[in-house]
């Protein structure tokens, strides 16, 4: 139900963009107003969430570690898994953000005949997640050719490396294939694995279908349905130079693409997609494990009024003595 | 632990990166005009409407290439009934005479790489340099 509902919603949104792009009177709305609104929501929303997180107190080190802590000089510490220095933390964060090291440890558990519990490696999710995220980044960077004029050489070089195999005209991008394949796997995993399906919420499917719709419309526009790229660039440049141009006939699919992107951007701050910022703020990853090397005092500790046993004994000394009870201090 | 400065710095960096196109285009003084093409003085394209050519010229050229190289069909009858050679550097560029002022304008604008000139010589450029 979650999967079907989110699929229908994404199809509806894509259809809305498609229809909006066909009506000349609605083009300013779908080409200019909606993208601007989405961008503002994205920037303000993401900033708001990050500022909220920054204000959350993290008084103590709470690293989850998978390696030997630095202790005695003759015990070899695990500098990346259990860093005790800022440099080590930077290394661990770089591996976490760039290579998803935590996800690499993903395992699967199976109940087999016997009954016997079996544990095994499960690297496919890691591979697909890594492939998707890197391909998505490269696709976004490739899109800079629409937003920058003159186009920097590095963007052109990226596109040229991406279409290295020169299959067809215009050349097939390797990242398109990787992106679509990885997204397809991530979706199928949720649909086919009973455990993953049980855990999957509406938002999980919605994000996936949104990205799939975005990828599908983009791929169609490049390889199947021709659009007027000069008009697209004019629109994109108009948006980023804050002098928007309302485009004429661009192509039917373009507005679906743009509208889905706007929805994705505006949806981002309210969804699990905020892991983009959240991964940098994981206290279990970004704090050096100095729990034993340094004393971490809670910064907002106040002097607590305590009533010790010694004080209690002083108060009742006479009565305790009269009753013949043993005293700590005679 | 107070990392607020670091976090806000990271956030500012992110906002800066996301809005990079805005600053880049301001710095580069990007004009809002689309590229201007030098169109042939007269005549109509015999192979399709301007709209078709704008969207699908690459498909036409690739189809011609395959027909000439693999099928040996070297001529095509245009919409005006005349027979033309399937040739980029002759037929097309007889009218659209300047690569720099026609092809490269849009291809440069959208950074769409053309592989035509990897093999084909830009005839007029070559003649110009020979002179």
């Amino acid at each position: 139900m979650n999967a079907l509902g989110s699929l229908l919603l994404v199809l509806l949104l894509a259809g809305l963009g498609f229809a909006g792009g066909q009506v000349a009177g609605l083009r300013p709305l779908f080409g200019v107003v909606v993208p601007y609104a989405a961008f503002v929501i994205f920037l303000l929303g993401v900033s708001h969430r990050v500022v909220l997180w920054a204000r959350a107190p993290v008084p103590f080190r709470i690293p989850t570690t998978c390696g030997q802590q630095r202790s005695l000089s003759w015990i070899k510490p695990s500098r990346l898994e259990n860093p005790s220095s800022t440099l080590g933390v930077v290394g661990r964060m770089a591996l976490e953000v760039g290579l998803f090291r935590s996800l690499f440890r993903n395992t699967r558990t199976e109940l087999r005949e016997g009954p016997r519990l079996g544990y095994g490696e499960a690297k496919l999710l890691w591979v697909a997640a890594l492939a998707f995220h890197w391909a998505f980044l490269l696709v976004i960077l490739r899109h800079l050719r629409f937003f920058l004029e003159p186009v920097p050489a590095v963007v052109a070089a990226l596109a040229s490396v991406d279409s290295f195999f020169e299959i067809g005209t215009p050349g097939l991008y390797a990242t398109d294939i990787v992106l679509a394949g990885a997204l397809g796997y991530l979706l199928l995993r949720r649909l086919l694995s009973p455990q993953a399906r049980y855990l999957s919420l509406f938002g999980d499917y919605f994000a996936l279908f949104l990205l799939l719709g975005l990828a599908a419309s983009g791929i169609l526009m490049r390889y199947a349905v021709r659009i007027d790229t000069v008009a697209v660039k004019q629109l994109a440049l108009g948006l980023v130079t804050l002098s928007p141009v309302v485009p004429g006939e661009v192509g039917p699919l373009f507005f679906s693409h743009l509208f889905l992107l706007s929805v994705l951007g505006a949806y981002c701050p309210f969804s699990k997609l905020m892991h983009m910022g959240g991964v940098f703020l994981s206290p279990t990853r970004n704090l050096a494990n100095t729990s034993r090397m340094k004393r971490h005092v809670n910064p907002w500790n106040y002097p607590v009024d305590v009533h010790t046993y010694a004080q209690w004994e002083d108060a009742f000394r006479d009565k305790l003595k009269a009753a013949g009870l043993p005293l700590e201090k005679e | 632990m107070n990392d607020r400065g670091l976090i806000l710095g990271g956030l500012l960096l992110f906002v800066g990166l996301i809005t990079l196109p805005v600053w880049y285009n301001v710095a580069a003084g990007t004009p809002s005009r689309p590229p201007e093409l030098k169109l042939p003085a007269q005549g109509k394209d015999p192979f399709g409407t301007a709209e078709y050519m704008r969207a699908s010229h690459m498909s036409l050229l690739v189809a011609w290439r395959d027909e000439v190289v693999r099928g040996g069909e070297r001529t095509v009858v245009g919409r005006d009934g005349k027979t033309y050679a399937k040739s980029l550097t002759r037929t097309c560029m007889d009218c659209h005479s300047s690569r720099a002022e026609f092809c490269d304008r849009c291809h440069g604008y959208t950074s769409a790489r053309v592989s035509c000139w990897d093999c084909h010589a830009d005839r007029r450029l070559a003649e110009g340099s020979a002179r």
Side-chain angles (χ1 to χ4, degrees):
Chain A
M1 195 56 234
N2 280 338
L4 208 59
S6 52
L7 174 64
L8 286 178
L9 184 57
V10 169
L11 286 178
L12 188 76
L13 290 169
L16 198 63
F18 193 90
Q22 302 307 300
V23 186
L26 286 176
R27 258 179 235 141
L29 178 68
F30 281 91
V32 177
V33 178
V34 169
Y36 269 141
F39 189 68
V40 168
I41 294 173
F42 173 77
L43 266 195
L44 290 184
V46 168
S47 304
H48 177 69
R49 287 289 292 265
V50 171
V51 169
L52 272 186
W53 286 334
R55 288 167 62 176
V58 184
F60 302 117
R61 305 299 170 115
I62 46 169
T64 51
T65 61
C66 316
Q68 175 63 50
Q69 187 180 42
R70 196 168 93 92
S71 53
L72 300 170
S73 60
W74 43 272
I75 298 176
K76 196 181 166 203
S78 177
R79 288 181 204 286
L80 281 173
E81 302 291 6
N82 200 345
S84 59
S85 65
T86 307
L87 193 67
V89 167
V90 170
R92 176 165 70 175
M93 286 305 291
L95 288 173
E96 184 63 40
V97 173
L99 295 174
F100 309 166
R101 209 172 157 83
S102 298
L103 191 56
F104 188 71
R105 300 201 184 91
N106 188 31
T107 54
R108 86 195 126 92
T109 317
E110 275 175 15
L111 195 59
R112 298 201 181 154
E113 299 220 359
R116 235 161 20 101
L117 202 55
Y119 298 94
E121 299 205 338
K123 299 273 185 263
L124 212 51
L125 176 60
W126 172 76
V127 168
L130 202 61
F132 161 69
H133 280 85
W134 276 104
F136 195 38
L137 176 67
L138 292 178
V139 168
I140 290 171
L141 289 180
R142 269 206 281 102
H143 275 75
L144 283 178
R145 76 186 172 109
F146 291 112
F147 293 95
L148 305 178
E149 175 63 28
V151 180
V154 60
V155 175
L158 185 63
S160 141
V161 170
D162 205 350
S163 58
F164 177 80
F165 295 104
E166 300 206 3
I167 301 167
T169 306
L172 182 70
Y173 284 134
T175 45
D176 282 356
I177 305 292
V178 174
L179 182 79
L183 273 176
Y185 169 76
L186 293 174
L187 177 67
L188 282 181
R189 174 186 153 267
R190 285 197 184 277
L191 290 176
L192 297 182
S193 154
Q195 293 95 330
R197 195 167 61 230
Y198 181 72
L199 289 171
S200 295
L201 302 173
F202 185 87
D204 297 325
Y205 291 115
F206 184 63
L208 274 175
F209 280 124
L210 212 48
L211 287 164
L212 269 171
L214 207 56
S217 55
I219 287 169
L220 278 176
M221 272 191 291
R222 181 165 172 88
Y223 307 109
V225 188
R226 300 264 182 248
I227 59 154
D228 188 346
T229 40
V230 172
V232 170
K233 176 140 190 183
Q234 259 189 285
L235 173 66
L237 272 184
L239 288 175
V240 297
T241 52
L242 306 182
S243 48
V245 192
V246 178
E249 288 287 342
V250 175
L253 265 177
F254 173 72
F255 282 92
S256 283
H257 193 66
L258 186 63
F259 192 61
L260 286 180
L261 175 71
S262 303
V263 172
L264 184 72
Y267 174 66
C268 204
F270 310 100
S271 66
K272 67 174 204 164
L273 299 174
M274 271 307 293
H275 70 266
M276 177 176 58
V279 66
F280 290 96
L281 300 181
S282 320
T284 56
R285 306 273 92 201
N286 67 13
L287 292 172
N289 188 5
T290 54
S291 300
R292 294 182 182 181
M293 289 160 62
K294 285 187 196 146
R295 180 158 188 240
H296 297 280
V297 180
N298 189 346
W300 62 89
N301 271 356
Y302 51 88
V304 179
D305 203 11
V306 289
H307 190 63
T308 61
Y309 176 74
Q311 289 170 328
W312 183 83
E313 199 184 74
D314 281 346
F316 296 99
R317 184 169 304 281
D318 303 342
K319 293 186 174 68
L320 288 165
K321 217 170 196 168
L325 290 168
L327 291 167
E328 295 268 297
K329 201 170 76 183
E330 285 302 329
Chain B
M1 210 33 215
N2 198 340
D3 284 336
R4 263 177 225 180
L6 205 60
I7 296 171
L8 293 183
L11 184 62
L12 277 182
L13 184 70
F14 172 73
V15 172
L17 281 178
I18 283 284
T19 54
L20 184 75
V22 178
W23 317 122
Y24 180 93
N25 288 317
V26 168
T30 303
S32 54
R33 293 184 313 282
E36 283 161 27
L37 303 184
K38 191 184 168 197
L39 294 174
Q42 57 196 21
K44 280 201 148 182
D45 205 306
F47 305 112
T49 59
E51 201 177 23
Y52 166 79
M53 290 308 281
R54 204 177 294 137
S56 303
H57 60 278
M58 68 301 264
S59 309
L60 183 75
L61 286 171
V62 168
W64 278 11
R65 179 199 66 189
D66 292 348
E67 285 159 17
V68 169
V69 174
R70 295 175 195 163
E73 304 157 24
R74 292 187 169 273
T75 54
V76 60
V77 178
R79 291 192 301 166
D80 52 4
K82 289 184 197 159
T83 304
Y84 293 90
K86 287 174 184 168
S87 166
L88 166 70
T89 45
R90 298 218 160 68
T91 308
C92 300
M93 295 191 70
D94 270 349
C95 303
H96 301 288
S97 54
S98 171
R99 176 192 160 193
E101 287 171 340
F102 187 73
C103 310
D104 289 352
R105 287 277 159 88
C106 290
H107 277 273
Y109 187 64
T110 57
S111 183
R113 203 179 77 86
V114 275
S115 52
C116 306
W117 316 107
D118 290 359
C119 307
H120 286 280
D122 186 352
R123 189 156 52 105
R124 277 155 196 84
L125 205 69
E127 279 169 9
S129 61
R131 238 180 272 130

